[in-house]
Amino acid sequence: MQHDHRTTPPGATFVATRAALAAVALSLAVVAAAPAHAGSQDGTTSTESGAETGAGTDTDYARMVLVLDSSGSMAEPAGSGGTKIEAAKRALGTVVDGLPDDAYVGLRVYGAKVFSRDQQGACTDSQLVVDPATDNRDELRSALQQYEPYGETPIGYALRQAARDIGGESTRSIVLVSDGIATCEPDPCVVAGELAQQGIDLQIDVVGLSVDAKARAQLRCVAAKGNGTYYDADDADDIVESLQTATDRALRPFALEGTPLAGGDSASPTPVEVGLWSDSVGTTSRTSERWFSYTRTMPGSTVRVGIASLGGDPEEWDTVQLATSTPLGGTCGTDSGFKNIISSELLGAEVAVGAPQGSDDCATSDEILISVSRSLGNLGRGKAPYSLQVAEEPPVDGTALPEADDWNGLVLDPPDVPGKPGRVDGGDSFATAPVLTDGAYRGTIVPGETQAFRVELAYGQTLSARVLVPPAGPALRDEVGFQGPFGSLNVYSPMRGQVTMSGDGIKTTGFAAGSSSDVLGVQTPQVRYNNRDSSASVGSSLPGYYYLVYAADADSSGRSYEMPFRLEMQVRGEESGAPEYADGQALLTGSDGPLGEPVATTEATADPSEPEGTAGSEEPDGVQSSAADDPGGVSTGTLLAAGGLCAVALGCVGVALALLRGRRRA
């Protein structure tokens, strides 16, 4: 939930998703049982101790080991025809081809060499068949070709060995793929808990392949105890669509924008210039405040300051404050962001120093002090990274400009975007948000996930957007019950502050899944220079890239599942009302592009001409817009139904790729 001194709209959850995980694991399951490397008696390689594995690797990705089931039951039929192993092999070839060059991946199998439980070594039958590395794609492909179902299911032992495979450094992931319950001690659920308690940055995600209720319960426990997520996988029909989704998600690691710059204390603040900077702030008396000092470069200017921060421990509430003042102690504006206990979230805040609502001292002081802090009242012990953005806006030349728009009297005009929706995956931070243009989009979100999108607005323009949630189908209904996690839809400014809006049809919270449909709708005030006159509307007073953020709260039981949604968005209005700055001066941002410009722009466009029969192009029966849903009478078509969920292992094939990036926040 996002709070500031102006309003308290519900917030968006910020947790790196692994929804795509299910598929990749499954797909990679296929590489399972290649011949073991020469080494120790159990067939492990000399690197299995983890002392050398991955040490000193220079990559932006997390280190990952796949732990794959090579038991005889993998020869059983899969949900959509053929055997589990055949379906997995078809999927895996595509996944391996799509692995980023610097993704550090290894492969361990179990049940590949000892046929029966009554034979010696059955419960230690696990081998590292492909060493963790970045240059092992041919080995993975070769292992895929040699993979055959064979023996027992010693999951607990394999997990312990996998933790050794990737050592104790960096962000690490284990992806366990299994189609049955463990047939050997130790209990894999207990092992997962032990590994998680070692204080190392390790998570265990699990994909269950057409499992029964008993096996599902055990595998869910492994994921829960291992700080990971469990995914069911039964069907391979949606493999192409899901693979695209998983690949997109894998390429969106959490990133804080900005050049590193450590803040000082109140007695010696760090000088800062216009631009985008990054730092971290803690919760102890010595680390809970970071101070900066900005010196105006032109008289009469407005200094714009914004922050975007990560909350700390997902199990604790957190808040980050932004405050500005003069060296004499005069307060020039404050704002804050707050997150709930249920998840990590992105926290945004924004202040304009020198705008009319500030004091005369704030408008004339050569030096402006900036403080970023966290509350000492929360329980978090770690540091929260944040981005600090500073811009300086010259005074205008006196030409009359449009009056401030009414943020409190808006009437939602739903987007008019006919045609089939294109597939889209949002970024999990401002830095990775793809750029959207007018259109309709379809996607999925998992509990505890935030998806951010970037939309450019000029002076005189407004953004209208809706998220339409279909009623849950039978499979999803089994997961969420009558109503699932809450969802939220909010807009953030180019300075990363939340845009305040209220009025008829504006609805920023609802359900991300449930027995009935739901519709969330937002509409920004028109971007106008004079919106800076009020702290309530300052978030819509600059042109640039605005951020549309859809988020889902974490599941109360720690479960994970995909929830479909349809996103509609439209920018309205012609560019108008741009100010002319005095003496030909320009807005200073530290870059040549518009505020909020992507570091690496990823375009995402709707595809109204998508041909019939294209994989994933059809919209199953779901929610249809009505007069009640759509005040403008615009037909939005049907939504994705729960049947489109990527709850199927193979359908989510590339998912494990999402783990490759180091996106977890410690």
Side-chain angles (χ1 to χ4, degrees):
M1 170 186 308
Q2 192 72 27
H3 286 241
D4 61 21
H5 66 287
R6 305 181 298 259
T7 78
T8 57
T13 338
F14 198 118
V15 167
T17 180
R18 297 170 202 89
L21 209 210
V24 120
L26 202 214
S27 31
L28 287 171
V30 83
V31 312
H37 293 248
S40 62
Q41 291 182 349
D42 74 344
T44 58
T45 68
S46 60
T47 62
E48 184 157 347
S49 68
E52 296 85 13
T53 302
T57 55
D58 182 15
T59 176
D60 291 334
Y61 295 85
R63 299 207 307 275
M64 185 175 80
V65 167
L66 295 159
V67 178
L68 306 178
D69 192 339
S70 187
S71 65
S73 57
M74 286 294 288
E76 295 175 355
S80 59
T83 65
K84 297 174 185 177
I85 187 58
E86 289 170 346
K89 284 184 176 181
R90 290 195 300 269
L92 181 61
T94 304
V95 172
V96 171
D97 290 342
L99 285 174
D101 291 340
D102 56 345
Y104 202 80
V105 184
L107 174 65
R108 170 171 287 278
V109 301
Y110 61 83
K113 299 175 73 68
V114 182
F115 181 73
S116 173
R117 185 178 180 181
D118 57 12
Q119 292 180 288
Q120 184 177 3
C123 288
T124 55
D125 181 11
S126 179
Q127 299 81 38
L128 182 66
V129 295
V130 178
D131 292 344
T134 59
D135 57 355
N136 58 4
R137 304 324 182 225
D138 289 341
E139 288 184 81
L140 291 173
R141 294 185 185 93
S142 176
L144 166 62
Q145 296 303 317
Q146 300 177 56
Y147 175 66
E148 295 295 340
Y150 191 69
E152 292 292 332
T153 314
I155 299 176
Y157 176 81
L159 289 176
R160 283 179 175 167
Q161 298 304 105
R164 298 174 61 200
D165 295 337
I166 45 180
E169 299 177 359
S170 183
T171 301
R172 304 174 304 141
S173 296
I174 293 175
V175 180
L176 168 65
V177 182
S178 178
D179 75 333
I181 197 167
T183 58
C184 294
E185 294 292 340
D187 184 332
C189 187
V190 173
V191 170
E194 291 173 350
L195 294 174
Q197 291 172 9
Q198 291 178 13
I200 52 182
D201 189 9
L202 170 69
Q203 73 182 38
I204 303 172
D205 293 272
V206 183
V207 179
L209 309 184
S210 300
V211 296
D212 60 24
K214 185 176 181 181
R216 181 180 292 109
Q218 185 182 74
L219 295 176
R220 282 189 184 278
C221 181
V222 171
K225 295 292 186 180
N227 299 318
T229 301
Y230 173 80
Y231 301 90
D232 267 319
D234 295 314
D235 197 319
D237 291 344
D238 297 328
I239 185 172
V240 174
E241 176 82 4
S242 297
L243 180 58
Q244 290 174 335
T245 299
T247 302
D248 287 347
R249 283 175 171 168
L251 297 177
R252 57 168 200 188
F254 174 79
L256 270 177
E257 300 168 290
T259 302
L261 181 66
D265 56 29
S266 58
S268 54
T270 300
V272 66
E273 299 177 350
V274 294
L276 192 58
W277 313 93
S278 64
D279 191 19
S280 61
V281 60
T283 56
T284 68
S285 58
R286 291 190 305 114
T287 66
S288 65
E289 290 186 345
R290 305 290 267 178
W291 286 82
F292 301 88
S293 172
Y294 180 78
T295 301
R296 277 191 167 97
T297 65
M298 60 189 97
S301 67
T302 300
V303 179
R304 314 295 294 256
V305 184
I307 58 171
S309 174
L310 280 175
D313 191 331
E315 300 301 322
E316 299 166 356
W317 65 271
D318 207 349
T319 182
V320 177
Q321 296 92 22
L322 170 66
T324 55
S325 59
T326 68
L328 298 178
T331 299
C332 298
T334 63
D335 197 4
S336 63
F338 172 79
K339 87 164 192 72
N340 282 319
I341 291 176
I342 54 177
S343 65
S344 294
E345 294 181 355
L346 188 67
L347 312 178
E350 176 181 2
V351 170
V353 181
Q357 72 271 14
S359 68
D360 291 342
D361 288 343
C362 294
T364 59
S365 177
D366 289 338
E367 184 181 8
I368 299 298
L369 299 180
I370 302 166
S371 171
V372 180
S373 61
R374 291 174 73 193
S375 171
L376 294 177
N378 65 7
L379 301 177
R381 297 181 179 86
K383 288 187 176 181
Y386 66 91
S387 290
L388 171 68
Q389 182 158 332
V390 181
E392 187 174 2
E393 186 178 21
V396 297
D397 65 0
T399 304
L401 292 168
E403 295 182 358
D405 200 10
D406 183 10
W407 64 270
N408 196 33
L410 299 171
V411 177
L412 178 64
D413 185 4
D416 183 4
V417 284
K420 291 181 178 295
R423 186 185 59 82
V424 70
D425 293 298
D428 62 358
S429 68
F430 292 150
T432 58
V435 176
L436 297 188
T437 57
D438 291 1
Y441 304 85
R442 54 190 169 85
T444 61
I445 193 168
V446 300
E449 181 183 13
T450 292
Q451 294 198 25
F453 308 93
R454 199 179 314 233
V455 182
E456 188 171 12
L457 296 179
Y459 280 116
Q461 294 184 323
T462 185
L463 169 64
S464 174
R466 299 196 309 176
V467 164
L468 298 97
V469 178
L476 182 58
R477 182 70 177 273
D478 288 343
E479 297 281 0
V480 304
F482 180 73
Q483 60 188 34
F486 281 104
S488 64
L489 181 65
N490 289 292
V491 180
Y492 293 80
S493 75
M495 296 296 298
R496 308 336 191 244
Q498 188 170 324
V499 176
T500 305
M501 62 189 77
S502 178
D504 187 16
I506 306 296
K507 182 183 177 185
T508 60
T509 61
F511 289 101
S515 58
S516 60
S517 61
D518 207 350
V519 181
L520 308 182
V522 294
Q523 184 167 302
T524 67
Q526 193 177 89
V527 179
R528 296 180 183 177
Y529 174 85
N530 282 322
N531 287 352
R532 63 199 283 279
D533 292 355
S534 167
S535 60
S537 57
V538 68
S540 55
S541 60
L542 283 175
Y545 282 101
Y546 283 69
Y547 300 88
L548 185 64
V549 179
Y550 178 47
D553 285 352
D555 180 84
S556 59
S557 300
R559 296 167 300 180
S560 183
Y561 35 81
E562 290 196 299
M563 301 174 286
F565 67 88
R566 172 181 171 122
L567 169 65
E568 301 173 347
M569 60 137 293
Q570 185 175 19
V571 175
R572 291 193 172 96
E574 298 297 325
E575 183 174 359
S576 63
E580 292 188 10
Y581 294 120
D583 302 324
Q585 299 174 100
L587 177 69
L588 302 180
T589 65
S591 69
D592 296 331
L595 274 174
E597 184 175 39
V599 175
T601 301
T602 301
E603 294 287 351
T605 56
D607 187 9
S609 62
E610 188 177 16
E612 295 289 346
T614 300
S617 65
E618 296 185 11
E619 294 179 77
D621 291 339
V623 172
Q624 296 185 353
S625 61
S626 63
D629 290 337
D630 192 335
V634 178
S635 174
T636 61
T638 57
L639 295 176
L640 285 177
L645 296 177
C646 184
V648 295
L650 289 176
C652 298
V653 164
V655 189
L657 292 177
L659 295 180
L660 297 177
R661 286 283 192 174
R663 299 184 307 163
R664 281 164 289 168
R665 280 74 70 186

